[in-house]
Amino acid sequence: MKLIMSIIHDEDSARLTTALNKAGIQVTKLASTGGFLRVGNSTMLIGVEEDRLEDALKIIHDCCHTQKQTTIANQPYTTTPEGYVPYPIEVTVGGATVFVLDVDQFLKY
Ligand code: 2BA
């Protein structure tokens, strides 16, 4: 068995959950926060048998889209007598950051 941990944009989470459920793949959504942008994203925990792994990865690929987001850079753009001048930078987020882990044991009590 494999555990997929996938960090995705909040906006994609409902579409992804629906698509996984339609394919008979169970998922748990965790509310998470990115360390760089410090805004909310979603972490999806998906446990699958190995023969469903590629199905699950394809669904994640198809449901999650890249997005551009703007943040304030934490490095000064210029130094002035007044000091620090913050400036906006644009980053491309996602579609999905995916980790695939081996599962030693899967138990339900
Ligand atoms: P954040 O940490 O909020 O990062 C959002 C986006 O900002 C990243 O998109 C990337 O394009 C950019 N970024 C991140 N760190 C940067 C840096 N030091 N300098 C310049 N740009 C930077 P993604 O790479 O698609 O990542 C989306 C979210 O996935 C991340 O949100 C984080 O929550 C998670 N993530 C990505 N890689 C990870 C990793 N290796 N370990 C754990 N979480 C990860």
Side-chain angles (χ1 to χ4, degrees):
M1 190 179 207
K2 300 282 186 183
L3 176 65
I4 303 170
M5 291 179 59
S6 182
I7 302 157
I8 66 169
H9 200 279
D10 281 337
E11 284 175 18
D12 294 328
S13 68
R15 181 173 42 243
L16 177 59
T17 301
T18 300
L20 289 168
N21 283 332
K22 268 191 191 158
I25 296 171
Q26 291 196 39
V27 57
T28 296
K29 175 186 161 186
L30 306 177
S32 46
T33 303
F36 186 69
L37 292 178
R38 298 180 191 202
V39 298
N41 51 29
S42 296
T43 298
M44 313 300 273
L45 299 184
I46 305 161
V48 283
E49 296 301 335
E50 293 197 25
D51 62 352
R52 301 297 319 271
L53 178 62
E54 289 308 317
D55 294 341
L57 292 176
K58 182 173 186 320
I59 291 168
I60 295 169
H61 178 271
D62 291 348
C63 289
C64 300
H65 307 299
T66 56
Q67 310 210 5
K68 298 224 183 273
Q69 284 186 235
T70 303
T71 187
I72 301 298
N74 57 11
Q75 298 298 320
Y77 175 65
T78 181
T79 45
T80 67
E82 294 77 30
Y84 176 81
V85 179
Y87 66 101
I89 57 167
E90 191 177 64
V91 293
T92 301
V93 182
T97 299
V98 180
F99 301 89
V100 180
L101 293 79
D102 289 323
V103 175
D104 284 343
Q105 278 191 305
F106 172 61
L107 306 168
K108 280 188 178 178
Y109 292 115

